[in-house]
Amino acid sequence: MAQTFTKEELKQYDGQDGRKAYVAIDGTVYDLTDVPAWQGGKHHGQMAGNDLSEVIKKAPHQKSVLAKLPVVGTLTD
């Protein structure tokens, strides 16, 4: 079942110390926990637990990778 997350709640999912690694993109929260490139909640200087909507626009893959990721919920303001 999909959850809603505030930005404060999302910060708890930082991929550190065994916690899940979630990021928000355009209001959708994705689970990156099992993505090898996101081990430890970090990827190319970015940290899990954040809204990366602006950052992903500058990534070489842009949003093409999102279709492969599990959706866990939505981000609220």
Side-chain angles (χ1 to χ4, degrees):
M1 185 162 107
Q3 280 182 260
T4 54
F5 298 86
T6 64
K7 286 187 178 184
E8 269 313 301
E9 289 168 334
L10 184 63
K11 287 179 184 177
Q12 298 170 32
Y13 297 90
D14 61 3
Q16 305 285 306
D17 301 319
R19 291 186 291 272
K20 299 254 183 208
Y22 294 175
V23 298
I25 307 287
D26 297 335
T28 301
V29 178
Y30 296 91
D31 185 347
L32 305 174
T33 305
D34 296 326
V35 178
W38 277 91
Q39 289 300 335
K42 299 176 187 170
H43 177 64
H44 295 293
Q46 300 305 318
M47 296 290 298
N50 290 293
D51 183 345
L52 301 181
S53 300
E54 290 302 311
V55 174
I56 199 166
K57 293 176 186 175
K58 299 178 183 108
H61 52 68
Q62 297 197 336
K63 296 180 185 177
S64 65
V65 295
L66 299 180
K68 302 173 196 169
L69 299 172
V71 172
V72 292
T74 55
L75 186 67
T76 61
D77 289 334

